[in-house]
Amino acid sequence: MLTVKNLTHWYGQADKPLYENVDLSFDSDKVYTIVGASGSGKTTFLSFIAGLDKPQKGDIFLDGKNIKKIGATNYRKHKVAIVFQQYNLLTYMSALDNILTALSVTDSGHKGEKQYVLDSLKSVGIEEADAKKNVQKLSGGQQQRVAIIRAMLVDANIVIADEPTGNLDGENSAMIIKLFQDLAHEHHKTVIIVTHDPKIADQGDVKISLEDREFVVA
Amino acid sequence: MNYLKRSMLYLTHKKGQSLLLLLIMSAILVFVLSGIIIQNAAVSATNSVTKSAGTTISVSANRNKMFSKMRSSSSKSKTKTITTPTVSNTKIKEAGSLSTVAYYNITNTASVNASSFDTVSTSTGSQGGGMMKGGSGASTGNITIDGVSSTKLTSSFISKEDKIVSGRNITSSDANTKNVVIEKELASSNSIKVGDTITVKMTTSGKKKIKLKVVGIYKAKSTSSSGMPGSDPSNTIYTSYTLPATITGTEGKSSTVTYTLSNSAKEKVTTKKIKSIINSSSFSVSSNDESYQQLLQPMKNVQSFAKKIVWLVAIAGTIILGLIIILSVRTRQREIGVLVSLGESKLRIIGQLFSELFVILIGAMVIALLLGNFVGNKVGNQLLAQQETTSVSSTSGANGGPGGGGGAPGSSQNGGMRGGAMTSQTTTSAANKKALKTLNTSISPSSVIKLGGMGLVIIALAVCVAAISILRLRPKDILIGE
């Protein structure tokens, strides 16, 4: 379980905090969607729970352990996987190499299991030939599926996604959301999706709205 | 997949960028290697010069002492005579056996008159010009007997001013014989051949006649400018150093000896040792390392320039590579961000950059090893040629001096010298200069190790510069735009 306690953050010299004393909990086997308008601070919140940035006040606990004690690098390496709107794959590699790199960096139990990776990619519609092509030669939808498989195969229990369908058409968006639901329900991970799209937000198990500096759990 | 594999993937994917880096790194290493091999070649040439520059130590009469002795003599004769001091051949040999002495040449000179043959005379328009060749004293003969240890060691033979055309040289085995080598003009004008015997007459001791056996004929390039009989080079007869001593009545002793050192760097210590062996205030022991210094200077300049090349290129290379990598890091921010988001440590990312450059360094070293010797050879010899030109133009005035002092007027028995002992230095220098016209550049294992070391330092520094920007990167800023 990921727990956020008394999280408070300001932007620069702003008079008012972006949010104050936020308390939230994220359980495994569930898809959480955080929805809010642009500039509301949802991506900033994501960067705190992903270990990419530190809040000015408050703590984040993973299974009761403060992530400050786990260490940001260690936390990102073993506990959390991130899926970005821009896919953020290594452009000089194939899809297969991208995932093998992630497995190697995170010391995953599936490290070096090439066939396992190819099978996983095939399960989301990426054939071996495409898996071995340079990742930039794949479509946006295919690249995002590669990014999700990367997040799925590393040992991290928390998967955080920032506008994962932002660059995709309706059909691909639906496929991606389905993959996230599978990650939570079949692979028992905690999935947190940040989105500005209410339709995507509605497809989560728990919807959290960020309105007027307040996180409201629906 | 570890960061080493990622490096290879990056390099093979970014072929253009990798090739550009390879070319830049190769250019840097070619110049670094050229500098290293020029430096090595200059050092080895300097060592060779140190050994073969022919620094000489001359033991000869202390002229000041000689003249002051003459002035204080009680003789009331109008013509005061001076006697050239001598030193025993045993002492000369003892000094010659010093480990730092390569060889030595004893020089004794005597003046006699031709008896069984005619001298060669050169007529010129003006009489009386040029140097005094033993003055006009009554005891001066028309033939100069130059006694040497070996004609091959004599400066005029080394410089090929004199050259054997028939028969053989005078060698150390001719000691205590009356074997001589005469000049070609003298031989042909008197129909003398190798194996013939000629007779000379002493200027003192009752004009005693001495029979000399001709064992060789030499040809002298130079001609006399004075027109005096004894001054024509054709009237110089070479023999062993023992014969002039017999003529002057100083058997077992000699007046001048020139030691040529095997290592010019040992000049001071050898001079000191020779002084202590000779142990006589009548003699001056002087060293001449002018040619050594003349040869050394261009080499030192080349060495220093090569050193500057190495440092300059290394510093410029580090800056250039550092800037390229900083630019490359800027274009690779997203990649770095992705790796950081996966939990890769920044140190490993820096390690990836280093290993990419290391692979390029290996390729660049191969190219540098293929081209470095060629470039080093060309640049080194160009530098040396420039240095030689500068050195010759700046020293030409000093080298144009006369070839020796000749005998003192009226000195007993001693006629004019052709400046043999003094010119030995200049001729050895000429031979060495010829040898130093080219630098022998070659790539040694130590050059490769040095190059590798320099290359590693360059890429390490360049990566360190780039690492600053990597360490300052915040993954959130790279990956998530608010």
Side-chain angles (χ1 to χ4, degrees), chain A residues 118-167:
Chain A
L118 286 171
D119 290 344
S120 302
L121 284 169
K122 200 174 178 182
S123 72
V124 292
I126 297 170
E127 296 296 328
E128 187 172 336
D130 284 335
K132 290 181 177 174
K133 274 184 196 169
N134 181 273
V135 78
Q136 284 179 306
K137 290 180 179 166
L138 302 180
S139 69
Q142 283 177 312
Q143 287 189 50
Q144 194 61 298
R145 276 178 270 161
V146 172
I148 292 168
I149 291 297
R150 180 175 69 183
M152 185 177 84
L153 296 190
V154 297
D155 297 337
N157 283 326
I158 298 160
V159 177
I160 297 169
D162 181 28
E163 304 279 7
T165 58
N167 290 339

Side-chain angles (χ1 to χ4, degrees), chain B residues 146 148 151-166 169 181-184 217-223 232-238 418-420 423 427:
Chain B
D146 261 3
V148 294
T151 41
K152 274 184 181 172
L153 302 179
T154 309
S155 61
S156 53
F157 278 84
I158 292 169
S159 65
K160 297 198 169 37
E161 197 183 318
D162 292 345
K163 199 171 143 188
I164 291 285
V165 288
S166 177
N169 277 289
V181 170
I182 64 168
E183 210 279 326
K184 193 185 168 190
I217 294 171
Y218 74 93
K219 188 177 182 343
K221 262 189 190 172
S222 59
T223 54
D232 193 289
S234 298
N235 295 326
T236 298
I237 292 175
Y238 284 103
R418 291 173 61 210
T423 50
T427 50

